Amino acid sequence: MPLSFPPGPAPHGAGPGPTGPPPLPPALARAFSAQVPGPPVPPGPRANPWHRAGAVPVAVPERERALLDGLWLSQGHHRLADGTATRVHRRPVPSAGAAYPVHTHLVVGADGPLEAGRYAFDLEQGTLLRRDPARERDAGWQAPGTAVRGTHLVLTVQPGRSFGRYRHRAWPLWIADTAYALAAVEFLCAPAPAAVHLGPGPRLRELLGVPRASEHERWLARGLAPEIALAAVELPGTWSVLPDRRNALAVRRSPAIGEFEAAGRSRDPRAADTAKESGQAWVLGARRLETWSVPVDTPAAGLAPALWRAHREAAGLCYTGALSRRWRCRPVSGFVAAHGRWTVHALAMLPGAHHLDKESAA
């Protein structure tokens, strides 16, 4: 069913007033305007080729392997609506709409499970690569320091993956997909990491030893696509991956859009607004719908925490639904503002567990 976009969010240009907190800059406010993204542009590689920058594969300890595979390794490939298999691997962590821009790194101190240094995980090949500190110094990048202690898992986004498809709507989606990955780390690990740092900012760049993504020439000179460090957790001194949770994510699938369309129209009065504001009519078939919204005049300083909170809560519902086998969840993103509010995220759900013999196009 074709849907029309509502009018754009005029309040963002005005802000809360000359003495109030700074409003969202116009360039960022376009993300929830009615302006339709332009045609797609090449998104860049699904995995950054760190081997071109001198990184070499290393053996991964069993516990760290369980976590990395628990985040990114599922059996099989995505399928199109007609059942045709694609070349895109399925992932336990769903994309919240950003076309999978998230990458995983480890920064290991002197007392860690691997040789001290920085590591990049190639989620396409399932390999962990140790970055070459000598090549880092030669390139003018920050070499590993001696101050790092413990083991830190850092989540970055390759912004081109989302921008290539969604253009001006991409930036909230970078937070969205990173939040889903961060929530998965917290879901899988016992005990859950206590220290979580959210970016972007110099602290995470220094930890990861990378330049700003805007300094794209420094990345491209090494054969790499720019990345933005958005979240880091310090893994506890003693931790493990919970097998039942890992198994739940491994078989988790977002229900195919066709399943929502076949379910019939929901009686939830919010479904119509959610479908209209997202431009996604299949949401009308959701049997449970959760939404998160903010006033359109939310100051810039308040919007980022709201985005992180919304997507981490949604991801938690998604993963606990997979564990209990009560709900199958499909994230909904890409809303435009309406009625003075911006819905920053929604989660559309169908009851029951995924049946592996019913392949999902998600």
Side-chain angles (χ1 to χ4, degrees):
M1 181 177 71
L3 296 169
S4 60
F5 287 110
H12 270 288
T19 60
L24 199 62
L28 299 185
R30 289 177 62 207
F32 40 100
S33 73
Q35 183 178 353
V36 178
V41 295
R46 283 195 288 269
N48 225 350
W50 283 92
H51 62 278
R52 294 181 185 171
V56 295
V58 298
V60 186
E62 183 177 353
R63 184 182 58 176
E64 283 69 25
R65 168 60 70 187
L67 176 57
L68 294 171
D69 288 353
L71 292 171
W72 302 120
L73 182 64
S74 283
Q75 296 295 320
H77 296 76
H78 285 294
R79 291 179 179 273
L80 301 176
D82 63 1
T84 304
T86 70
R87 293 183 298 175
V88 179
H89 292 285
R90 285 175 171 151
R91 308 293 183 197
V93 176
S95 172
Y100 283 112
V102 177
H103 296 285
T104 308
H105 299 256
L106 293 178
V107 180
V108 181
D111 52 350
L114 291 155
E115 183 179 357
R118 296 184 174 109
Y119 298 80
F121 183 63
D122 184 327
L123 75 172
E124 287 295 299
Q125 302 299 322
T127 55
L128 188 67
L129 299 100
R130 185 172 189 268
R131 292 161 55 184
D132 184 337
R135 302 256 310 248
E136 306 271 313
R137 282 191 292 268
D138 291 344
W141 287 29
Q142 182 193 50
T146 59
V148 175
R149 297 185 61 82
T151 301
H152 303 258
L153 185 146
V154 184
L155 298 169
T156 69
V157 293
Q158 183 188 324
R161 296 292 305 171
S162 316
F163 182 82
R165 181 179 298 179
Y166 300 111
R167 303 294 191 93
H168 57 274
R169 292 183 181 170
W171 75 264
L173 302 177
W174 300 334
I175 293 177
D177 269 31
T178 306
Y180 268 75
L182 174 60
V185 174
E186 296 172 310
F187 179 77
L188 289 169
C189 291
V196 177
H197 304 287
L198 302 178
R203 181 176 184 174
L204 294 189
R205 287 198 301 274
E206 181 179 356
L207 177 63
L208 197 56
V210 297
R212 292 175 180 269
S214 59
E215 299 178 272
H216 53 82
E217 70 285 351
R218 298 181 65 189
W219 291 82
L220 296 177
R222 304 191 66 197
L224 298 168
E227 297 182 28
I228 304 172
L230 282 183
V233 299
E234 182 176 356
L235 297 171
T238 302
W239 60 276
S240 62
V241 172
L242 295 168
D244 58 336
R245 296 190 172 201
R246 179 185 174 185
N247 294 338
L249 291 196
V251 299
R252 186 212 60 80
R253 300 284 184 272
S254 299
I257 287 175
E259 288 191 66
F260 287 95
E261 293 172 333
R265 186 160 183 154
S266 167
R267 296 180 179 178
D268 187 339
R270 300 172 303 163
D273 287 341
T274 303
K276 183 177 182 180
E277 293 163 18
S278 67
Q280 300 178 70
W282 59 266
V283 174
L284 293 169
R287 286 299 172 266
R288 180 184 172 190
L289 183 66
E290 300 291 342
T291 64
W292 291 262
S293 67
V294 296
V296 294
D297 57 355
T298 298
L303 185 55
L307 286 169
W308 282 108
R309 184 167 54 251
H311 291 95
R312 290 172 76 178
E313 288 179 1
L317 289 175
C318 180
Y319 303 149
T320 54
L323 182 63
S324 69
R325 302 172 64 87
R326 291 188 60 194
W327 294 102
R328 296 173 294 141
C329 305
R330 190 176 184 95
V332 189
S333 296
F335 292 84
V336 297
H339 313 300
R341 298 191 69 83
W342 178 37
T343 299
V344 297
H345 192 55
L347 199 62
M349 305 182 224
L350 291 176
H354 176 78
H355 298 288
L356 292 177
D357 58 337
K358 295 181 178 179
E359 299 293 349
S360 167

